[in-house]
Amino acid sequence: MTSDRARRGKGSEVHGIFQKIAGYYDRMNFVMTLGRHEKWCREVAARVAPVRGGQLLDLATGTGVIALEAARRHPTVTVTGVDFSEEMLRRAKAKPGAGAVRWQHADAASLPFEDEFFDGITEGYLLRNVEDLDRVLREQHRVLKPGGRLVILETCPPSGLVEPVMKWGMRVVVPLLGQVVARDRSSYSYLESSTRAFESPQSIAGALRGLGFKDIGWRKKFFGTNVILWATKGD
């Protein structure tokens, strides 16, 4: 079992990385996905489909791409964007339309919200960066209302015929892009390794099913290196 000290150590390391990369996070996402990242974020915001006048939580909001799109797409919904990186939140708050979102600094493993408070939850690239995946998913289940939808944008390890080529590309190209675009090879070496080591969509779906989620599905993107996964909390 991982000790609390080890969890805090990894949490501090990941927090430091995201504090460091906040200034070029959007640019690197654009480059690494060949411009597809914002389209995926729009799909996430559309799929969550919260009820009119409801509450929507965007976890690991980062620079707010999903949260801002959700606020535009669902103008009657109260959108709350949460992140553990203060610098990411500062960047999000400076974007056009940021006043339509409630921004909050919080840890996804211990959310400061009441049970069954939100009608929908979205998140982008959260799960691969947490120490206790089950705990984070349990927190999402706790704060989501029955019948509410969870929509996840995440990386996933490549598989199938393209697996060797994509693994080589991720191992070599992603850190190189970090060096060229952001002058930061080490942070993107971590992000590349966390992608290759992360769970498959089938594994995440199994964890969600075990918590009581239903109607689970996913769609892979970009040669299987990214995935949008969705699920509904059971009654």
Side-chain angles (χ1 to χ4, degrees):
M1 181 179 294
T2 305
S3 68
D4 289 341
R5 180 176 296 178
R7 282 196 291 268
R8 288 195 297 270
K10 178 173 180 179
S12 296
E13 178 187 2
V14 175
H15 177 266
I17 288 172
F18 281 92
Q19 289 282 93
K20 184 179 179 182
I21 68 176
Y24 44 81
Y25 185 70
D26 288 341
R27 184 165 67 250
M28 279 295 294
N29 280 341
F30 180 88
V31 171
M32 288 191 301
T33 65
L34 301 181
R36 292 170 171 81
H37 178 254
E38 288 197 5
K39 181 180 179 181
W40 300 339
C41 290
R42 290 194 295 270
E43 181 176 341
V44 169
R47 282 187 177 277
V48 72
V51 298
R52 184 176 179 83
Q55 297 279 346
L56 175 64
L57 174 63
D58 182 44
L59 285 172
T61 195
T63 57
V65 178
I66 294 175
L68 290 168
E69 177 60 28
R72 287 189 291 268
R73 183 177 291 271
H74 310 292
T76 70
V77 171
T78 300
V79 179
T80 301
V82 165
D83 205 280
F84 79 149
S85 167
E86 301 87 347
E87 185 61 22
M88 286 284 190
L89 288 172
R90 188 182 73 79
R91 300 274 176 174
K93 291 176 183 178
K95 288 188 172 182
V101 177
R102 295 180 178 178
W103 306 102
Q104 187 163 346
H105 178 258
D107 185 346
S110 184
L111 294 171
F113 305 111
E114 297 176 1
D115 294 356
E116 299 183 357
F117 184 77
F118 291 99
D119 299 277
I121 299 175
T122 57
E123 62 188 66
Y125 306 125
L126 166 67
L127 300 181
R128 68 174 183 175
N129 291 306
V130 301
E131 180 66 25
D132 191 336
L133 178 64
D134 289 339
R135 178 176 175 178
V136 168
L137 290 176
R138 285 197 304 270
E139 275 292 271
Q140 294 177 41
H141 185 270
R142 178 183 68 80
V143 302
L144 187 61
K145 293 179 182 179
R149 178 170 276 196
L150 167 65
V151 185
I152 298 167
L153 171 62
E154 193 49 89
T155 56
C156 61
S159 59
L161 294 176
V162 300
E163 180 179 356
V165 174
M166 295 308 298
K167 282 188 173 181
W168 175 86
M170 292 166 65
R171 187 172 60 250
V172 175
V173 176
V174 171
L176 179 60
L177 286 173
Q179 176 64 37
V180 172
V181 176
R183 301 292 189 269
D184 185 356
R185 187 182 188 92
S186 62
S187 294
Y188 280 89
S189 293
Y190 159 77
L191 295 174
E192 172 271 329
S193 62
S194 68
T195 296
R196 288 192 293 113
F198 190 56
E199 307 283 352
S200 67
Q202 292 88 342
S203 178
I204 299 301
L208 291 172
R209 195 173 294 111
L211 288 171
F213 283 94
K214 62 181 184 179
D215 301 329
I216 301 169
W218 64 84
R219 179 176 295 173
K220 289 187 177 183
K221 308 287 184 179
F222 206 49
F223 305 104
T225 60
N226 284 255
V227 65
I228 294 176
L229 188 148
W230 55 89
T232 302
K233 182 175 177 177
D235 296 330

